[in-house]
Amino acid sequence: MERDAVIVAGFGCRSGATLDSFRDALALAGKGHSVTALAAPADRERLLAPLADALGLPFIPVPPDALAAVTTATASRASFAARGTGSVAEAAALAAAGPDACLLTPRHIASDRRATCAIAKGNPE
């Protein structure tokens, strides 16, 4: 039986990111996509929980080794230094969407520059 595809919004952020930061990044990246889950580094779950709750979507915490294992479409020196990946948002989205995931939207940066969001589609394990 084929599983339903998931559309994951992956996030990267600075520690000062707010709910408005995440909403803005999602609005920029998520246009035209029906997101079914949110994902971010596991240590950022506390920051993303208000958005997940507001949208009624599950949050998928992504461990550090899974983030570092993903090759991303875009590259930020700050992301490499902090997390070992070119884009935390893209890596989180792709890792959470499953092994055959594809990127639908590369990272978009919130207007306050505190959060990024990317969208991936896949079939979870």
Side-chain angles (χ1 to χ4, degrees):
M1 180 187 327
E2 187 174 318
R3 292 187 174 172
D4 290 336
V6 294
I7 307 292
V8 179
F11 291 89
C13 66
R14 296 179 180 189
S15 58
T18 65
L19 179 58
D20 287 339
S21 305
F22 296 120
R23 283 186 186 277
D24 185 37
L26 178 60
L28 293 169
K31 289 181 182 172
H33 301 292
S34 297
V35 173
T36 59
L38 308 181
D43 65 339
R44 297 297 197 205
E45 184 170 5
R46 177 187 60 78
L47 293 174
L48 266 297
L51 181 61
D53 290 344
L55 298 175
L57 295 174
F59 176 80
I60 302 168
V62 181
D65 59 331
L67 289 172
V70 177
T71 301
T72 60
T74 66
S76 158
R77 282 188 229 157
S79 291
F80 272 121
R83 303 285 181 164
T85 186
S87 167
V88 175
E90 291 172 11
L94 288 164
D100 295 321
C102 64
L103 195 63
L104 297 177
T105 307
R107 72 182 165 112
H108 282 70
I109 304 169
S111 57
D112 67 4
R113 304 196 60 78
R114 293 182 180 175
T116 58
C117 181
I119 310 295
K121 179 180 181 178
N123 293 301
E125 296 181 88

